[in-house]
Amino acid sequence: MSVIVYLENWEGKFKKNTFEAAQYAAKTAEMMGTEAIGVTFGDISDDASVIGKYGLSKVINLKGGDFTEFNNYKVAAALKDVASQNGGDTYIISGTFNGKAVAPVLAIQTEAGLITNVIDMPSSTSPLTVKRSVFSSKGLVSYSTDVANRIVVFIPNSVGVTEGEGSAEMSEGSVSVGDVPQSNVTDVDRVKGKIPLPEAERVVSGGRGMKGPENWGMIEELAEVLDAGTACSKPVSDMGWRPHTEHVGQTGIAINPDLYIAIGISGAIQHLAGVSNSKTIVAINNDAEAPFFKAADYGIVGDAFDVVPKLTEAIKKFKAEN
Amino acid sequence: MKVLVCISHVPDTTSKINFTSDNKEFDKAGVQFVINPYDEFGLTRAIWLQEKQGATVTVLNVGRAETEPTLRKALAIGANDAIRIDADPTDGYFVAQQIAAVAKENNYDLIIAGRESIDYNGGQVPGMLAAMLNIPFINACMGLEIEGDKASLIREIDGGKEKISASLPLVVGGQKGLVEEKDLKIPNMRGIMSARTKPLAVRPAVDADHKTSVGSFEKPAPKSAVKMIDADNVEELVSLLHNEAKVI
């Protein structure tokens, strides 16, 4: 047995959730008394040895025409092949959009027990038992699987990373992906210079209290000084003030950053469902009765147009002094 | 063109979530059930294919008789017929096998499910189903156009989106963007009347196993009381975020 981990890269670069996956796999392997092997695809421009700081010593790089663009079937087939070459029976995948596209396909190809939406390290590896979030963060439940192969998909930013010592060796591998269903990526459109929400450690979010899309400048400025991603409530995305991809909540993206600052968002139960796993929540609202104050760690009753610029300045000052 | 839309029967988004006293099950008492919001976008998109491109739309749920009002609502919105597979949806693998059995018989050109259901949030069924049928799976799909046997799709990715082309048949894990919120179809009186007489077939489950089992439910730990900070003293917030919460 061994642990196989999908180490996603974005145009050759690793991100925090790559390291989180590496560490999750290394710790799981330690519990099982075995080794963890990372698999990454395409040309890597980052120094792969850094993966070693998160507990992996071995990374296999798969290149070639099959992996120049993302295809979930090809990635799944490759992970399966690496596992069969290395006695892998446990797969660790970060729940990114790509991770979520790969995992269920891999589960069928390997006849594995698949547990998704996981928020913690396994409490046992035999049978594999992990805690997962259900009912859009309104509940938690332990799941277990006792079949030979198993796949854990954890929610990005839910277990965190701690940098340690170590260096990983990356080698080129070869796999056979066989005949898989065809789909072709014809265009990739990534928003430049913005932090994607699922991986953001800090998020600044605006609601209807912002009164209109023309007022988002102050949200973006606060986000910039905090090195944060920007988000919005459902009504804001429905009215077209902000793109869908910024909608956090029950039917948008569920996030769990270290810091979530909600500005002019009342705190409807559907919104809270998607953000309540944030480690620290700040609510800024001019209505002292806004339900968000019940879910927040810190609250300010006040006019966003007055409070937010002041907060941005205060953080700038703090950063300059520290 | 034959379209299958998979419908999950889930608690309304405003529901308070409670578990039975032994924490073994979700407590359904007093809970209003609805079509899974992610499935609603796919259902409306399918009805547009019916209206504009002559598709027939079948809706399907794996569940007990209690889910039939949800299927009737989907019929009222415009689906041609419905299938209920009479079984408890125990895990993603079990449900995917049930749907695959129906799909293999009926050769759908397009299968649309929500990218996840808002109850168990697994996001497993559409991808498993595609893999069982060995056809493409496009998850987090926010745009879909069909021309002949070709589909062009838009898929959300981390920090952006990508365009994909693929041939039918395929499986989509849908979300907002397939249609916009304002375009979601709601049943009108004529739809509700005609839904009563549209076919709703009940099929027994096929033999299938499950690969995961559920342990004990719990509610997240309650938050400690909020600390209120004066609007004229934002420096105090900055200090708390640094010294107490340690997030900046």
Side-chain angles (χ1 to χ4, degrees):
Chain A
M1 60 185 182
S2 65
V3 177
I4 306 295
V5 52
Y6 175 32
L7 297 177
E8 220 179 329
N9 68 78
W10 285 263
E11 287 152 0
K13 297 201 173 303
F14 299 123
K15 288 189 185 171
K16 186 183 160 196
N17 63 25
T18 316
F19 304 140
E20 194 179 23
Q23 194 156 59
Y24 196 110
K27 287 186 180 172
T28 305
E30 201 179 306
M31 290 175 75
M32 292 165 60
T34 181
E35 66 165 346
I37 299 162
V39 185
T40 193
F41 296 87
D43 291 323
I44 304 300
S45 50
D46 270 357
D47 173 13
S49 69
V50 67
I51 300 282
K53 292 183 177 170
Y54 306 94
L56 287 197
S57 53
K58 196 170 160 191
V59 176
I60 295 172
N61 186 205
L62 299 173
K63 295 187 189 183
D66 282 329
F67 306 120
T68 47
E69 61 182 40
F70 176 76
N71 176 298
N72 54 338
Y73 275 93
K74 289 177 181 171
V75 171
L79 293 174
K80 181 186 173 187
D81 201 4
V82 170
S84 71
Q85 293 172 26
N86 294 278
D89 60 353
T90 304
Y91 299 86
I92 305 299
I93 296 176
S94 174
T96 60
F97 284 105
N98 284 356
K100 287 177 180 176
V102 170
V105 169
L106 180 63
I108 297 308
Q109 290 172 345
T110 59
E111 298 181 3
L114 171 62
I115 308 181
T116 50
N117 232 33
V118 168
I119 56 153
D120 207 352
M121 293 300 303
S123 57
S124 146
T125 56
S126 179
L128 184 81
T129 306
V130 284
K131 200 176 270 191
R132 63 186 299 272
S133 169
V134 287
F135 296 98
S136 311
S137 312
K138 294 179 202 168
L140 302 166
V141 66
S142 67
Y143 260 61
S144 56
T145 179
D146 57 5
V147 295
N149 291 324
R150 53 275 182 93
I151 305 171
V152 171
V153 181
F154 67 88
I155 300 177
N157 212 23
S158 59
V159 290
V161 290
T162 327
E163 199 179 296
E165 299 291 321
S167 173
E169 198 72 41
M170 183 160 82
S171 59
E172 259 186 68
S174 80
V175 291
S176 139
V177 298
D179 247 347
V180 296
Q182 293 296 312
S183 60
N184 298 298
V185 176
T186 55
D187 186 38
V188 177
D189 177 12
R190 275 207 179 83
V191 185
K192 299 283 176 205
K194 284 222 163 196
I195 302 170
L197 281 175
E199 69 195 61
E201 291 172 30
R202 288 170 288 274
V203 172
V204 180
S205 186
R208 255 186 304 202
M210 293 306 297
K211 298 198 170 74
E214 67 280 8
N215 298 322
W216 241 259
M218 68 177 87
I219 300 270
E220 281 166 345
E221 282 162 25
L222 177 57
E224 202 186 319
V225 297
L226 283 168
D227 209 8
T230 56
C232 69
S233 66
K234 182 168 183 289
V236 164
S237 122
D238 288 347
M239 289 183 291
W241 293 1
R242 301 296 292 178
H244 296 327
T245 46
E246 283 199 0
H247 163 202
V248 293
Q250 188 159 24
T251 54
I253 297 181
I255 54 170
N256 49 359
D258 297 336
L259 174 63
Y260 182 71
I261 302 183
I263 300 164
I265 303 176
S266 64
I269 188 168
Q270 297 97 321
H271 184 78
L272 296 179
V275 303
S276 60
N277 281 342
S278 308
K279 283 156 204 92
T280 299
I281 296 178
V282 176
I284 300 171
N285 206 297
N286 59 8
D287 175 9
E289 300 299 312
F292 223 132
F293 290 121
K294 291 202 175 67
D297 300 281
Y298 304 108
I300 294 181
V301 179
D303 182 359
F305 294 81
D306 168 48
V307 175
V308 175
K310 281 201 299 197
L311 182 58
T312 304
E313 284 312 309
I315 290 166
K316 268 189 200 164
K317 195 160 154 255
F318 167 82
K319 288 180 90 174
E321 288 167 2
N322 287 269
Chain B
M1 182 176 15
K2 288 168 72 176
V3 182
L4 178 70
V5 182
C6 306
I7 302 281
S8 288
H9 166 85
V10 299
D12 179 69
T13 57
T14 57
S15 304
K16 291 232 185 328
I17 301 300
N18 291 304
F19 303 109
T20 52
S21 55
D22 60 357
N23 286 323
K24 291 291 173 212
E25 279 177 62
F26 169 59
D27 184 359
K28 294 176 180 170
V31 171
Q32 183 82 26
F33 281 83
V34 296
I35 298 175
N36 180 39
Y38 290 108
D39 305 347
E40 281 192 283
F41 297 104
L43 177 58
T44 294
R45 187 69 192 87
I47 301 301
W48 288 2
L49 290 172
Q50 178 202 61
E51 290 169 351
K52 292 168 191 155
Q53 291 173 262
T56 58
V57 178
T58 301
V59 288
L60 175 150
N61 170 264
V62 178
R64 298 296 184 184
E66 64 192 7
T67 73
E68 286 193 8
T70 299
L71 281 175
R72 287 282 174 209
K73 186 180 171 197
L75 291 170
I77 286 169
N80 300 76
D81 63 338
I83 299 169
R84 179 172 68 80
I85 297 165
D86 189 31
D88 292 311
T90 44
D91 78 348
Y93 183 68
F94 176 88
V95 170
Q97 285 179 95
Q98 300 305 326
I99 303 173
V102 173
K104 279 175 186 161
E105 261 175 46
N106 292 300
N107 295 314
Y108 298 104
D109 301 289
L110 174 66
I111 301 176
I112 309 180
R115 86 166 192 221
E116 66 185 70
S117 62
I118 64 163
D119 50 4
Y120 288 88
N121 308 103
Q124 300 188 357
V125 172
M128 286 182 165
L129 175 62
M132 286 169 180
L133 301 171
N134 201 34
I135 58 178
F137 165 51
I138 313 300
N139 79 324
C141 183
M142 50 196 291
L144 166 70
E145 294 299 330
I146 307 279
E147 210 178 299
D149 68 345
K150 300 280 179 222
S152 40
L153 308 105
I154 302 170
R155 168 177 170 258
E156 185 166 2
I157 56 174
D158 292 277
K161 54 194 175 184
E162 64 185 16
K163 288 187 180 150
I164 295 170
S165 68
S167 296
L168 301 181
L170 54 82
V171 178
V172 159
Q175 61 179 11
K176 183 154 64 175
L178 277 180
V179 302
E180 296 305 317
E181 186 90 16
K182 63 176 166 49
D183 295 321
L184 284 178
K185 284 192 173 285
I186 47 170
N188 57 28
M189 193 45 77
R190 211 176 96 222
I192 293 166
M193 298 300 286
S194 71
R196 290 183 186 164
T197 53
K198 283 181 179 172
L200 192 165
V202 179
R203 295 172 48 129
V206 294
D207 271 341
D209 52 349
H210 53 265
K211 293 194 184 288
T212 58
S213 53
V214 183
S216 186
F217 287 94
E218 61 187 292
K219 287 209 205 181
K223 277 262 178 195
S224 50
V226 62
K227 269 190 194 166
M228 297 307 290
I229 292 140
D230 195 272
D232 291 321
N233 194 8
V234 293
E235 290 75 16
E236 189 192 340
L237 175 62
V238 177
S239 152
L240 285 166
L241 291 177
H242 177 65
N243 296 314
E244 190 177 77
K246 301 188 195 313
V247 289
I248 62 170

